[in-house]
């Protein structure tokens, strides 16, 4: 289950084995979690529910992420692989002079984020684009970003657990840096790693079997070897 910020990197699975959910089950699952009626929400630690503890963990993690990316009010942020908008809404809430362009390859996530932004009054500071990040180039989306932001370069690029889904990190990072990050801007990448080696998620690996295929498990020193 997830906390109020819907941040997967602070999630809790009651069962050891991961089970894929059908669409109807997924909607019911998220509805129950968001409303606090999920049977997975159990009381412990002086009356706090799992959901309350996860929400606090999410808040702590988001604060750490913002500190490490040296975020400041007024910085414009490109949030790639934005998920359900955990970092996007944290920025819009806590940095009122900042704008965010959020990238997701999911229509369901885009619609959810846009609806939530409207409810919170953030629509004028948020642009959500549904696309595969490898197609997110200045040639394809520069005009749209320019119209929203007044420029095409960002002060910060934020990515949390998206690059594990990608293969050619060097090519993608160079594209993002060239097209979207200002000369004085920075890129913050949060991803999980293997302690000693990188390997592709093929169906015969544990990750490929239980989570997803097509990406790569980055080794601890993967970024150090890129140009």
């Amino acid at each position: 289950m997830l906390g109020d910020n819907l941040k997967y990197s602070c999630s809790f699975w009651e069962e050891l084995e991961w089970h894929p959910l059908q669409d109807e089950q997924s909607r019911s699952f998220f509805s129950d979690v968001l409303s606090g009626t999920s049977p997975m929400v159990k009381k412990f630690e002086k009356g706090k529910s799992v959901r309350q503890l996860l929400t606090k963990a999410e808040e702590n993690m988001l604060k750490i992420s913002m500190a490490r990316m040296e975020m400041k009010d007024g910085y414009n942020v490109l949030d790639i692989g934005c998920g359900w908008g955990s970092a996007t809404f944290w920025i819009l809430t806590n940095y009122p002079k900042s704008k965010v362009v959020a990238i997701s390859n999911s229509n369901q996530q885009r619609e959810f984020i846009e609806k939530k932004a409207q409810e919170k009054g953030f629509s004028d500071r948020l642009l959500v684009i549904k696309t595969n990040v490898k197609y997110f180039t200045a040639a394809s989306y520069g005009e749209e970003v320019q119209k929203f932001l007044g420029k095409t370069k960002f002060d910060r690029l934020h990515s949390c657990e998206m690059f594990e889904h990608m293969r050619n990190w060097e090519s993608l990072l160079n594209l993002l840096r060239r097209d979207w990050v200002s000369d004085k801007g920075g890129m913050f990448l949060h991803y999980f790693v293997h302690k000693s080696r990188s390997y592709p998620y093929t169906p015969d690996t544990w990750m490929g079997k239980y989570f997803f295929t097509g990406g790569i498990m980055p080794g601890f020193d993967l970024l150090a070897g890129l140009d």
Side-chain angles (χ1 to χ4, degrees):
M1 67 171 296
L2 306 169
D4 291 348
N5 298 288
L6 301 180
K7 188 170 178 59
Y8 280 109
S9 49
C10 293
S11 60
F12 167 78
W13 296 94
E14 188 175 77
E15 300 179 43
L16 293 178
E17 184 178 357
W18 181 80
H19 296 284
L21 297 173
Q22 300 301 317
D23 286 344
E24 288 299 325
Q25 291 175 300
S26 297
R27 282 194 287 272
S28 174
F29 173 78
F30 280 110
S31 175
D32 287 348
V33 170
L34 287 168
S35 65
T37 59
S38 170
M40 296 175 70
V41 178
K42 297 181 178 179
K43 302 292 183 181
F44 66 106
E45 290 199 16
K46 297 182 179 179
K48 288 190 176 181
S49 68
V50 174
R51 182 183 174 209
Q52 289 172 317
L53 293 169
L54 290 177
T55 297
K56 183 62 177 176
E58 290 171 342
E59 292 172 354
N60 290 340
M61 194 167 185
L62 286 161
K63 288 177 183 177
I64 291 172
S65 295
M66 295 303 111
R68 289 178 175 172
M69 67 188 280
E70 299 180 347
M71 181 64 190
K72 295 180 180 180
D73 196 11
Y75 279 2
N76 296 314
V77 180
L78 175 61
D79 188 10
I80 59 172
C82 63
W84 298 97
S86 57
T88 288
F89 284 111
W90 185 266
I91 292 167
L92 293 171
T93 300
N94 293 281
Y95 302 89
K97 296 179 182 178
S98 295
K99 291 185 176 182
V100 178
V101 174
I103 309 299
S104 172
N105 200 29
S106 163
N107 271 320
Q108 186 180 13
Q109 289 179 340
R110 177 184 59 80
E111 291 168 359
F112 175 86
I113 292 170
E114 288 179 338
K115 181 180 178 182
K116 185 174 179 180
Q118 187 174 18
E119 293 170 350
K120 289 182 170 289
F122 292 151
S123 296
D124 61 329
R125 295 195 289 124
L126 173 65
L127 172 64
V128 188
I129 296 175
K130 189 274 178 187
T131 187
N132 187 312
V133 68
K134 67 182 180 181
Y135 302 129
F136 184 66
T137 64
S140 298
Y141 292 95
E143 186 175 345
E144 186 175 1
V145 172
Q146 172 74 35
K147 183 178 179 181
F148 167 71
L149 206 60
K151 53 186 176 181
T152 58
K153 299 286 187 174
F154 293 84
D155 302 294
R156 291 292 183 269
L157 180 147
H158 173 275
S159 174
C160 181
E161 296 185 3
M162 184 213 71
F163 269 81
E164 298 91 328
H165 294 264
M166 312 305 292
R167 284 287 179 94
N168 195 335
W169 284 35
E170 187 170 76
S171 176
L172 179 58
L173 284 168
N174 283 329
L175 182 155
L176 292 168
R177 183 66 168 172
R178 180 193 70 231
D179 281 14
W180 300 113
V181 182
S182 69
D183 292 340
K184 295 183 179 181
M187 304 172 70
F188 175 81
L189 309 181
H190 174 133
Y191 55 91
F192 50 79
V193 301
H194 188 278
K195 65 179 181 180
S196 60
R197 65 188 180 94
S198 302
Y199 63 85
Y201 295 137
T202 53
D204 59 322
T205 63
W206 188 89
M207 287 294 292
K209 183 177 180 181
Y210 292 104
F211 284 87
F212 55 85
T213 57
I216 189 171
M217 169 63 78
F220 180 78
D221 59 352
L222 176 63
L223 276 183
L226 301 182
D227 184 7

